[in-house]
């Protein structure tokens, strides 16, 4: 997989980005007094999109399905909550590297253990580690137990005494999350198209062959696991900044399952697909929650239908539109008909020659 996409994908992604950037212009006109609420909803979608992109590096690129990825999401949230001062805002200059460092170190330790397994065993071991931290946090008085920990002040971004951006402002925080998502997307795009990314694709397709070629596949998988966890940790930190607290639910296996559904819905292994999947999932969730109290049934049915109808996710519609598929099939069908006609003509000519030869032999 070369991860080279048609120009229409880039055009559509840029159009979506422009639409998000221009939200303050069209949001109030479309949503009226609810525009502030929907901006916060969009911010949450951006955070979950970042979380989904991090999982896609494991599931889509490397081929490792994890049900414990929420471990790193919740770890980022709790790192922010526990490391923040009680009566002042922490500096983002050191908080962001701290969250990435903690998530990366824990991922390195967990990865050394879980990467020894494959398939269903990898799924179960990641689930086990995630649930271990979930129950540890839920029963610990240091982390607030099941109530979680409140964050009184969002981290600040300043140069000395001069604030650079005001993250307490919802619009500024929205743009900050958008900028981080774009930056991570570009980094992962460059990573997947590099030699390192090609090795990950090779491990996904046939790990034994890559080992036979001399690649230390465990090291490559561990690096990808750590990078994925660090991005998930940043997403968890942003979620804690958005909610204003860290809660054990952010570590639960159901949270890992939700983000996995976003990846599947959007399209695995594409990087941009999980972003679309996160937006689609949250929009469906908002619609179903306001439609009925039994919204989980509708959401489950939607995911099942999406998997059956769109095996490559929403991204598959952009990479290979149905109209283009029909045109290609038509061309292939026409080519086969022409080939069959050619064979029939050749056969007729051959039969004619044989008949003529036989008549000549009889005449002589």
């Amino acid at each position: 997989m070369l991860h080279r996409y048609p120009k229409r994908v880039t055009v559509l992604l840029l159009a979506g980005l422009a639409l998000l950037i221009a939200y303050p212009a069209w949001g109030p006109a479309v949503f009226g007094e609810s525009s502030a609420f929907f901006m916060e909803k969009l911010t949450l979608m951006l955070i979950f999109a970042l979380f989904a992109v991090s999982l896609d590096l494991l599931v889509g690129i490397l081929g490792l399905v994890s049900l414990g990825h929420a471990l790193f999401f919740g770890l980022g949230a709790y790192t922010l909550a526990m490391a923040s001062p009680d009566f002042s805002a922490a500096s983002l200059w050191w908080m962001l590297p701290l969250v990435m460092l903690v998530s990366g170190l824990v991922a390195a330790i967990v990865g050394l253990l879980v990467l020894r397994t494959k398939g269903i065993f990898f799924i179960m071991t990641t689930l086990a580690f995630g649930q271990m931290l979930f129950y540890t946090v839920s029963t610990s008085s240091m982390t607030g137990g099941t109530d979680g920990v409140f964050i009184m002040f969002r981290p600040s971004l300043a140069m000395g005494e001069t604030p650079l951006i005001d993250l307490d402002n919802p619009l500024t925080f929205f743009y900050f999350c958008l900028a981080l998502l774009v930056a991570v997307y570009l980094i992962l795009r460059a990573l997947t198209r590099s030699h390192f990314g090609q090795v990950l694709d090779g491990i996904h397709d046939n790990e034994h062959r890559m080992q036979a070629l001399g690649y230390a596949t465990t090291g490559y998988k561990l690096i990808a696991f750590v990078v994925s966890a660090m991005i998930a940790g940043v997403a968890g930190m942003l979620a804690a900044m958005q909610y204003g607290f860290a809660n054990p639910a952010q570590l639960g296996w159901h949270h890992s399952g939700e983000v996995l559904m976003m990846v599947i819905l959007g399209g695995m292994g594409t990087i941009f697909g999980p972003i679309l999947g996160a937006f689609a999932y949250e929009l469906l969730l908002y619609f179903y929650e306001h439609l009925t109290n039994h919204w989980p049934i509708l959401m489950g049915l939607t995911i099942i239908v999406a998997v059956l109808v769109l095996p490559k996710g929403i991204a598959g519609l952009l990479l290979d539109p149905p109209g283009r598929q029909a045109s290609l099939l038509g061309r292939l069908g026409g080519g086969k008909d022409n080939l069959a006609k050619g064979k029939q003509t050749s056969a007729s000519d051959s039969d004619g020659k044989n008949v003529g030869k036989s008549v000549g032999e009889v005449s002589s």
Side-chain angles (χ1 to χ4, degrees), residues 26-225:
W26 60 267
V30 175
F31 300 114
E33 296 179 354
S34 301
S35 61
F37 166 77
F38 282 104
M39 186 177 64
E40 292 187 0
K41 193 70 176 176
L42 283 174
T43 304
L44 188 62
M45 292 178 186
L46 293 172
I47 294 171
F48 281 133
L50 187 63
F51 187 24
V53 163
S54 71
L55 183 60
D56 191 40
L57 181 60
L58 281 185
V59 178
I61 306 299
L62 194 54
L64 296 175
V65 180
S66 171
L67 273 181
H69 207 58
L71 182 157
F72 308 109
F73 184 87
L75 194 62
Y78 271 95
T79 300
L80 171 65
M82 302 301 293
S84 295
D86 292 331
F87 304 105
S88 62
S91 173
L92 197 64
W93 293 114
W94 62 263
M95 181 59 72
L96 182 60
L98 178 63
V99 168
M100 295 177 68
L101 178 63
V102 172
S103 300
L105 286 176
V106 173
I109 297 170
V110 174
L112 286 172
L113 298 173
V114 301
L115 290 174
R116 297 173 182 271
T117 61
K118 296 179 182 179
I120 186 65
F121 302 104
F122 179 84
I123 296 174
M124 296 308 296
T125 51
T126 53
L127 174 62
F129 273 103
Q131 290 303 101
M132 283 167 58
L133 185 60
F134 169 78
Y135 285 112
T136 300
V137 168
S138 299
T139 56
S140 174
S141 58
M142 282 185 59
T143 56
T146 55
D147 294 329
V149 183
F150 286 93
I151 302 167
M152 305 307 298
F153 302 94
R154 284 182 179 177
S156 61
L157 191 62
M159 188 67 70
E161 298 296 326
T162 306
L164 296 179
I165 56 175
D166 181 17
L167 294 178
D168 288 323
N169 184 300
L171 180 60
T172 305
F173 185 65
F174 166 75
Y175 282 130
F176 179 72
C177 293
L178 179 60
L180 276 181
L181 177 61
V182 171
V184 169
Y185 171 77
L186 293 176
I187 291 170
L188 289 182
R189 282 283 289 143
L191 184 69
T192 52
R193 296 178 64 176
S194 66
H195 176 73
F196 179 81
Q198 292 175 11
V199 174
L200 295 184
D201 284 334
I203 294 172
H204 185 183
D205 294 336
N206 194 324
E207 184 175 356
H208 294 297
R209 182 175 294 176
M210 296 302 294
Q211 291 172 341
L213 291 173
Y215 288 97
T217 58
T218 301
Y220 281 93
K221 291 194 293 184
L222 182 61
I223 293 173
F225 192 82

Side-chain angles (χ1 to χ4, degrees), residues 1 5 20 30 37 41 58 60 68 77 84 110 123 150 156 209 236 238 241 253 257 290 298 301 309 320 328 347 351:
M1 188 183 295
Y5 305 131
L20 289 173
V30 175
F37 166 77
K41 193 70 176 176
L58 281 185
S84 295
V110 174
I123 296 174
F150 286 93
S156 61
R209 182 175 294 176
L238 294 176
M241 292 170 66
W253 69 268
H290 287 76
L298 294 178
L301 291 174
V309 178
D320 201 6
L328 183 60
D351 292 342

Side-chain angles (χ1 to χ4, degrees), residues 326-361:
S327 176
L328 183 60
L329 289 173
R331 291 177 184 176
L332 290 174
K336 289 180 180 179
D337 292 341
N338 292 333
L339 182 60
K341 289 179 180 178
K343 287 182 177 179
Q344 289 176 0
T345 303
S346 299
S348 300
D349 292 343
S350 177
D351 292 342
K353 290 179 181 179
N354 292 334
V355 170
K357 185 177 179 181
S358 300
V359 170
E361 288 177 353

Side-chain angles (χ1 to χ4, degrees), residues 225-248:
F225 192 82
V226 170
V227 171
S228 175
M230 292 169 70
I231 298 172
V234 172
M237 180 194 74
L238 294 176
M241 292 170 66
Q242 170 78 351
Y243 293 133
F245 65 89
N247 189 277

Side-chain angles (χ1 to χ4, degrees), residues 261-275:
M261 284 191 287
M262 294 176 189
V263 174
I264 295 172
L265 183 62
M268 297 186 294
T270 59
I271 303 300
F272 73 89
I275 298 175

Side-chain angles (χ1 to χ4, degrees), residues 52 56 59 257-268 270 272-285 288 299-317:
D56 191 40
V59 178
E258 286 179 353
V259 73
L260 183 60
M261 284 191 287
M262 294 176 189
V263 174
I264 295 172
L265 183 62
M268 297 186 294
T270 59
F272 73 89
I275 298 175
L276 303 178
F279 275 78
Y281 183 89
E282 285 299 313
L283 287 172
L284 288 170
L285 182 63
Y288 288 154
M299 181 61 76
L301 291 174
T302 302
I303 297 298
I304 293 171
V305 171
V307 170
L308 294 175
V309 178
L310 301 173
K312 294 182 180 179
I314 300 172
L317 292 176

